Amino acid sequence: MTESHSATATRRRRILRTSRRHAGEGIEDGYNIPGIVLCALGMVALALTLTAAGYGFGGWAIVAGVVCAVCLIGGITWIALESRRVRAHDELEPPQRQGH
């Protein structure tokens, strides 16, 4: 195996591993931010659930648990759908040169 062939194979593996073409592309495409915010709210709701349950507030623990489940499921679903959308978009559009 030649040096250039090895470098090409390594580059292909790296590209297949990532869904973004260049650094910062996830920040440029703000469509996944609601999913990240929902996941963060789900983590906060998890902390509130555990706190309420620890202090014996069963009703509030149930409410916070439901909010936690809805936020985490919604956030993970949002991120998964956006990842699928980005991959489908990348297959349709040829890669463009970014950077220098």
Side-chain angles (χ1 to χ4, degrees):
M1 184 180 301
T2 65
E3 185 64 35
S4 64
H5 186 273
S6 175
T8 304
T10 303
R11 187 177 308 121
R12 282 190 186 142
R13 279 193 303 257
R14 189 172 22 117
I15 289 172
L16 291 175
R17 229 183 22 221
T18 61
S19 62
R20 307 290 183 180
R21 294 280 182 213
H22 66 278
E25 188 173 356
I27 296 171
E28 290 175 3
D29 183 15
Y31 292 116
N32 58 355
I33 291 176
I36 294 169
V37 169
L38 280 172
C39 287
L41 289 175
M43 298 305 286
V44 170
L46 177 63
L48 293 174
T49 302
L50 295 175
T51 302
Y55 280 106
F57 297 109
W60 285 112
I62 291 172
V63 170
V66 169
V67 170
C68 173
V70 168
C71 285
L72 286 177
I73 291 171
I76 291 170
T77 302
W78 188 289
I79 291 171
L81 290 175
E82 283 303 310
S83 176
R84 180 180 288 174
R85 182 189 66 83
V86 167
R87 270 191 252 124
H89 183 301
D90 285 347
E91 289 174 359
L92 296 176
E93 183 177 296
Q96 299 175 358
R97 182 173 164 83
Q98 298 289 333
H100 300 284

